[in-house]
Amino acid sequence: MEMMEESKGKDGLVLPDKASLYLTAIEDADYKDEKIEFWNSVYGFDMSCIRKQAIMEPLVDTVDQKQIVTNCQLLKTMDISKMASGDASFTVPFKLVAERDDYIHALVAYFDVSFTKCHKLMGFSTGPRSRGTHWKQTVLYLEEGLTLCQGEAVVGSMTVAPNKKNPRDVDIMLKYSVNGRRCFVSTTQQYRMR
């Protein structure tokens, strides 16, 4: 009995033990108009100060896979069983290439998890091309819509860190640029996920 208890303490498992973070870009004009641009004129009143707050809050929602305009890029894979507290902060580069001519209104983050310590490899995805989960996807609306032609790219980096005042909140910074035929932009946006 003593050996079992001792072994249990040393050989505990964290499940799932692997997580991968992905990013893609979507066209979402209707929702952005309804929920974000709405604040520019609320029954004739300029309430654009609320628009600034609304766009800074990521939306957790289900994205229709038909909205996806770019490739889905793996940003980071984490071994959850070996993570230290500082590992929750990171900056990763991305390059999202348009698969068709379209507008981009938001970037979408999602994760896949794996149970690699099981007798049979198991896992699931929270991505828009997978069966829905209650985690859905995280939608980061852009200040201005982007116009991309097929083959053009949104290039940048994403920084993720626990908020200093409330470590349960997550601060996200997107730096991105497009140098295309119809769109030229280079900017930074801040988000706070509560």
Side-chain angles (χ1 to χ4, degrees):
M1 184 70 149
E2 282 179 25
M3 281 180 60
M4 282 178 71
E5 285 178 12
E6 191 176 312
S7 172
K8 212 180 201 183
K10 288 181 182 177
D11 300 328
L13 295 176
V14 175
L15 296 172
D17 57 312
K18 292 270 179 4
S20 297
L21 178 66
Y22 290 85
L23 191 68
T24 190
I26 62 166
E27 181 282 323
D28 200 14
D30 291 343
Y31 191 92
K32 190 177 181 201
D33 281 345
E34 181 184 329
K35 300 295 183 188
I36 307 283
E37 304 307 338
F38 161 81
W39 295 107
N40 288 328
S41 179
V42 182
Y43 305 107
F45 294 95
D46 179 0
M47 298 184 73
S48 54
C49 58
I50 296 177
R51 179 196 182 276
K52 289 174 188 166
Q53 286 303 118
I55 208 158
M56 285 180 66
E57 266 198 45
L59 174 74
V60 176
D61 203 357
T62 302
V63 170
D64 186 330
Q65 63 178 318
K66 292 182 208 140
Q67 296 174 268
I68 298 171
V69 177
T70 68
N71 61 309
C72 298
Q73 184 184 334
L74 171 64
L75 296 181
K76 185 173 179 65
T77 297
M78 295 155 278
D79 185 337
I80 299 168
S81 65
K82 295 178 182 169
M83 285 182 75
S85 60
D87 295 341
S89 299
F90 56 87
T91 299
V92 287
F94 64 83
K95 181 178 182 182
L96 301 174
V97 181
E99 296 175 343
R100 64 177 186 259
D101 295 358
D102 211 335
Y103 300 102
I104 291 175
H105 298 100
L107 301 188
V108 176
Y110 64 93
F111 61 90
D112 292 357
V113 295
S114 301
F115 299 79
T116 68
K117 306 288 189 231
C118 299
H119 65 281
K120 180 180 173 187
L121 181 63
M122 298 178 70
F124 63 87
S125 175
T126 66
R129 289 192 169 110
S130 301
R131 185 176 173 189
T133 69
H134 77 276
W135 287 283
K136 303 178 183 176
Q137 293 89 46
T138 301
V139 184
L140 306 159
Y141 282 99
L142 306 179
E143 281 284 351
E144 300 296 330
L146 308 174
T147 306
L148 264 70
C149 297
Q150 185 175 4
E152 293 179 347
V154 181
V155 179
S157 65
M158 175 187 271
T159 300
V160 176
N163 181 271
K164 287 181 173 64
K165 290 182 182 172
N166 183 353
R168 293 183 64 122
D169 292 351
V170 177
D171 291 335
I172 302 168
M173 181 175 66
L174 279 181
K175 290 184 180 181
Y176 61 92
S177 62
V178 174
N179 187 1
R181 285 173 277 175
R182 297 182 183 155
C183 184
F184 180 82
V185 67
S186 183
T187 193
T188 300
Q189 277 188 243
Q190 304 280 346
Y191 303 88
R192 184 166 175 191
M193 188 146 193
R194 299 171 196 274

